[in-house]
Amino acid sequence: MSALVDVQDICKVYNPGENEVRALDHVSVQIQEKEFVAIIGQSGSGKSTLMNMLGCLDVPTSGTYMLHGKDVSNMTDDELSDIRNQEIGFIFQGFNLIQNLTALENVELPLIYRGVSKKERMELSKEALKKVGLENRMDHKPSEMSGGQQQRVAIARAIAQAPPIILADEPTGNLDSGSSKEIMGILKELHEEGRTVIIITHDNEIAAQAKRVIKIMDGRIESDTK
């Protein structure tokens, strides 16, 4: 069976020539469906660049990236945008919520872009907020919520249309330990339900909660342990 994520020999080079920076240096990695993976590395290790590749936010300088059997390494911005919409739910460290929208409206927003009907949008969004324990906060705006609650809204937004991949970039980075525990609990539940969860982190404790840990350093994969 072919891997859900199949990265072969990718490089990402900035400023080619004399002062070039190899953010990724011949990286190959495969992630199967329903895996729970942490990609760990310090600042400048290449983990954010790898996340941008896996999330179809950027394309490699060389090498190939097959996602769900499709070669996404040479796609146009519009094609990548379509793939992101269909395949990936993003969770970011900074929550990326729109401040003047309610929790429910924030979760609905990507579904509008995907052309989901109003009735279905409302149902999917309420269901997603219920799943993260925010059924009583649907009409609250981000400023009326704690950091942990805002991150739960962001998770609801990522999972509302049940994308096969959840890509979480430092999902607990701005949270206290109690909220971090809650967020990791939700991500573990999503994995148990059959989602593929990929966490990007610099935190060993967070990484240790995944089933597989890929360590990246100086743009190369240093270790890959299950």
Side-chain angles (χ1 to χ4, degrees):
M1 194 180 89
S2 64
L4 174 63
V5 164
D6 189 358
V7 168
Q8 293 296 335
D9 203 32
I10 64 170
C11 294
K12 184 65 180 180
V13 181
Y14 297 103
N15 308 327
E18 219 171 291
N19 300 316
E20 76 175 26
V21 175
R22 280 186 173 263
L24 293 175
D25 194 4
H26 298 285
V27 167
S28 296
V29 69
Q30 291 186 319
I31 296 171
Q32 306 296 334
E33 274 187 57
K34 302 182 182 177
E35 275 201 86
F36 186 4
V37 181
I39 296 172
I40 188 166
Q42 294 312 311
S43 182
S45 61
K47 70 178 187 303
S48 298
T49 308
L50 182 55
M51 189 211 81
N52 288 341
M53 298 294 150
L54 296 178
C56 298
L57 295 162
D58 199 357
V59 291
T61 308
S62 61
T64 57
Y65 174 20
M66 305 290 288
L67 177 61
H68 245 153
K70 289 182 194 152
D71 187 348
V72 295
S73 7
N74 297 307
M75 285 188 173
T76 64
D77 286 349
D78 285 351
E79 289 169 328
L80 288 172
S81 175
D82 288 344
I83 292 279
R84 287 196 300 271
N85 271 339
Q86 294 155 19
E87 301 281 350
I88 303 163
F90 289 97
I91 302 163
F92 296 101
Q93 178 177 355
F95 318 138
N96 290 13
L97 300 177
I98 294 179
Q99 294 301 314
N100 60 353
L101 297 183
T102 64
L104 188 63
E105 289 165 342
N106 265 292
V107 175
E108 277 189 287
L109 198 59
L111 301 175
I112 295 172
Y113 294 134
R114 289 173 192 172
V116 178
S117 72
K118 193 172 181 183
K119 182 170 178 278
E120 192 186 350
R121 261 195 336 255
M122 186 76 84
E123 283 170 9
L124 289 171
S125 301
K126 283 183 173 173
E127 196 53 47
L129 283 163
K130 218 176 270 179
K131 186 173 254 174
V132 298
L134 288 178
E135 55 269 38
N136 302 323
R137 307 301 295 260
M138 293 192 189
D139 297 327
H140 290 234
K141 291 186 174 167
S143 60
E144 300 166 317
M145 298 183 185
S146 68
Q149 287 168 333
Q150 289 184 61
Q151 189 59 297
R152 283 193 271 160
V153 174
I155 291 176
R157 181 183 57 193
I159 64 175
Q161 212 185 5
I165 300 172
I166 302 291
L167 192 55
D169 183 21
E170 300 281 6
T172 61
N174 284 338
L175 304 177
D176 60 45
S177 58
S179 299
S180 296
K181 207 177 244 177
E182 279 177 8
I183 297 306
M184 288 307 294
I186 293 169
L187 291 173
K188 284 174 187 169
E189 274 172 33
L190 289 167
H191 169 248
E192 279 156 19
E193 285 169 14
R195 306 287 174 87
T196 305
V197 178
I198 303 171
I199 297 178
I200 314 292
T201 183
H202 69 278
D203 186 326
N204 286 312
E205 278 182 35
I206 295 294
Q209 296 178 59
K211 298 275 165 63
R212 174 182 174 193
V213 180
I214 297 170
K215 189 171 186 187
I216 187 165
M217 195 175 181
D218 299 331
R220 294 178 175 216
I221 289 179
E222 193 181 54
S223 62
D224 185 345
T225 50
K226 292 187 184 180

